[in-house]
Amino acid sequence: MNLIIFGPPGAGKGTQSSFLVNDQKMYQLSTGDLLRAELKSGSDLSKQLKEIMDSGKLVSDDIINNLIEKKISDPSVKNNIIFDGFPRNLEQAKSLDLMLNKYDQQISGILNLKVDYSVLVKRISGRVSCSVCKKPFNEFFDPPVEAKDCNNKQCNSRELIKRSDDNESTVKNRLKTYDEQTLPILDYYRQKGIVKDVDAMKAINEVTEQIKAIINDL
Ligand code: AP5
């Protein structure tokens, strides 16, 4: 089963993906995490990427599709991928269909995290993530557990990281980009009858329960 977790910045895509990784043993393919890993390399490409990401715009489809195909073609994660932060426009959605078809796979469901924009700035401004396993926590809603209590023992060397694009002006632009380019692709998936709406205004564990119920029905 391959799934897409969908929603605006701060909706909880990364948070709920952590559950799918730990509980359902799925592979999380987060384009944001892959891009942030590239940023650390200090390459010429990383400088361009940082500028784009800090402006809240989308990185070019060519770069993204390349990253995605490397993973879709990997037999060890075949039919077990949770796509987080991808696709983000109609071109990426169509490319994803072509790539999945090429490697004899498909999408079983889109988990559409529905959330009022009014809560997003607080969720994003309170976010800190584990430097090892990337799990997001929140200073207001979901304080970080002690690293020693984490499922992943390597998290003992954890630092808590704040993202450079988690500031108010970039968040405004990220939401604008989401509204203009990403939200419209829901119609593309609704026509295929695979969109599953999730009330993401609820507490984190209640959102997880809704997702569990959806997965059981797929
Ligand atoms: P990306 O990293 O994908 O960021 P995003 O889509 O903006 O989403 P976020 O990671 O901000 O939010 P999330 O929904 O994962 O929320 P989280 O679970 O962390 O993209 C960053 C940039 O990379 C883009 O702007 C773009 O430039 C580029 N990019 C990435 N993919 C691309 C692509 N495909 N094409 C082109 N460019 C691309 O939760 C947020 C906080 O809220 C956490 O602190 C969490 O603890 C808390 N929280 C979560 N759920 C709840 C809840 N139910 N109640 C209370 N608090 C909650």
Side-chain angles (χ1 to χ4, degrees):
M1 171 178 70
N2 291 317
L3 298 172
I4 293 173
I5 193 153
F6 190 90
K13 301 183 295 295
T15 303
Q16 298 302 331
S17 295
S18 291
F19 153 73
L20 292 163
V21 170
N22 291 323
D23 200 80
Q24 305 284 316
K25 308 298 170 218
M26 293 187 78
Y27 176 82
Q28 178 190 8
L29 208 177
S30 157
T31 41
D33 285 348
L34 291 173
L35 292 168
R36 281 184 287 279
E38 180 65 34
L39 288 188
K40 285 191 188 154
S41 73
S43 63
D44 282 349
L45 175 64
S46 76
K47 284 171 202 137
Q48 286 173 38
L49 291 178
K50 182 160 170 40
E51 206 170 297
I52 297 168
M53 291 167 76
D54 283 348
S55 73
K57 293 187 182 147
L58 295 183
V59 170
S60 81
D61 292 342
D62 284 351
I63 292 177
I64 296 293
N65 289 337
N66 232 319
L67 291 172
I68 291 286
E69 183 154 11
K70 272 189 197 148
K71 281 297 167 193
I72 292 181
S73 59
D74 176 351
S76 71
V77 297
K78 185 170 180 181
N79 275 323
N80 196 32
I81 303 176
I82 171 95
F83 292 95
D84 166 8
F86 175 89
R88 260 175 145 99
N89 59 29
L90 197 55
E91 285 67 35
Q92 291 184 10
K94 290 184 174 166
S95 300
L96 177 61
D97 280 350
L98 290 174
M99 281 187 259
L100 287 171
N101 202 19
K102 180 171 166 190
Y103 296 101
D104 194 23
Q105 300 184 57
Q106 59 179 18
I107 295 291
S108 303
I110 317 291
L111 304 170
N112 177 33
L113 302 186
K114 294 180 73 175
V115 62
D116 293 349
Y117 285 14
S118 57
V119 302
L120 296 179
V121 172
K122 192 158 186 190
R123 284 193 187 180
I124 289 175
S125 62
R127 171 168 47 198
V128 286
S129 305
C130 171
S131 59
V132 179
C133 73
K134 311 283 181 264
K135 181 177 177 347
F137 297 97
N138 195 285
E139 287 162 350
F140 307 111
F141 306 114
D142 182 25
V145 293
E146 291 281 333
K148 66 177 170 43
D149 297 331
C150 189
N151 285 338
N152 179 352
K153 292 300 163 213
Q154 291 168 336
C155 291
N156 265 326
S157 57
R158 160 186 300 165
E159 280 174 62
L160 291 169
I161 295 182
K162 269 199 177 277
R163 283 168 40 177
S164 67
D165 59 346
D166 277 355
N167 60 73
E168 206 172 327
S169 74
T170 308
V171 170
K172 258 170 120 180
N173 290 336
R174 282 160 62 193
L175 281 172
K176 187 165 177 278
T177 304
Y178 175 80
D179 279 340
E180 288 173 358
Q181 299 188 50
T182 309
L183 191 56
I185 64 176
L186 259 192
D187 283 343
Y188 175 76
Y189 288 116
R190 285 206 193 277
Q191 280 163 19
K192 295 176 185 272
I194 55 173
V195 176
K196 309 288 174 191
D197 290 328
V198 176
D199 179 357
M201 289 298 283
K202 302 252 193 247
I204 292 173
N205 60 337
E206 293 174 70
V207 177
T208 305
E209 288 306 316
Q210 294 175 63
I211 290 177
K212 268 189 200 170
I214 290 170
I215 290 176
N216 284 339
D217 280 353
L218 284 175

